[in-house]
Amino acid sequence: MSDWIAIGAMGVVAVGLPLVMMAMSAMLRPSVPEQGKSATYESGEVPTGTARVQFNIQYYMVALLFVVFDIETVLIFPWTVIYRSALEQGASLGTILTPMLVFIGVLVVGLVWAWRNGAVKWVKSPQANRRKTERQDA
C-alpha cells in the first residue's frame, strides 16, 4: 500500500507544483496594459489584412501520415532488438513474427486507404494549374 501512497504523492507534486508556480507568477508579475502588447507582431512590420489564412488540408494529411509512420518505426525498433534473444530462448518463429506482421499489415491497409482517398496526392492550386496551361499554350 505504501507504493501507491508514493505514486499518489508524486502525482500531487507533479500537478500541484506547476499550478503553484503559475499562480505565483500571476500574482507577482507587473501588469502594465498597453495597446501595443495586444497587437499582432509581424517582425516589426505593420500587420495588414487578416491573420486567418486557410491552409491546404494536404499539409495536415502529410503531417498525420508522417506521425503514424514515425510511430511505426518507434514501435518496430524494440521488437527488432528482442527478436534474436527470443529465438535463442526457444520461442517459435510464428509466435514472434505474427504480431509484428499483423501490425505492419494494419499500417499497409491504412496507407492503401489513404492513397486511394487521395491523402498522399498533392492538390495543386488553381493558380498553379493556370500557369501550367499558359506555359503549354505558349
Side-chain angles (χ1 to χ4, degrees), residues 24-101:
M24 293 291 290
S25 69
M27 289 187 288
L28 296 176
R29 73 173 180 239
S31 177
V32 183
E34 293 180 8
Q35 183 180 6
K37 287 185 177 181
S38 62
T40 305
Y41 179 71
E42 293 288 340
S43 301
E45 297 293 324
V46 178
T48 59
T50 180
R52 294 194 175 257
V53 178
Q54 288 188 347
F55 288 99
N56 189 346
I57 191 72
Q58 292 300 123
Y59 292 115
Y60 301 110
M61 295 303 294
V62 169
L64 285 173
L65 287 172
F66 171 77
V67 167
V68 166
F69 288 101
D70 192 42
I71 297 294
E72 171 199 9
T73 58
V74 169
L75 294 175
I76 286 177
F77 182 73
W79 175 82
T80 58
V81 170
I82 64 167
Y83 174 74
R84 180 172 290 160
S85 63
L87 281 177
E88 290 171 355
Q89 292 176 2
S92 69
L93 189 62
T95 304
I96 297 171
L97 285 179
T98 302
M100 188 50 60
L101 290 176

Side-chain angles (χ1 to χ4, degrees), residues 117-135:
N117 286 323
V120 293
K121 180 180 175 186
W122 199 258
V123 178
K124 291 187 178 178
S125 68
Q127 186 178 11
N129 287 335
R130 196 174 332 120
R131 285 186 199 150
K132 184 179 178 183
T133 55
E134 286 174 1
R135 276 187 260 144

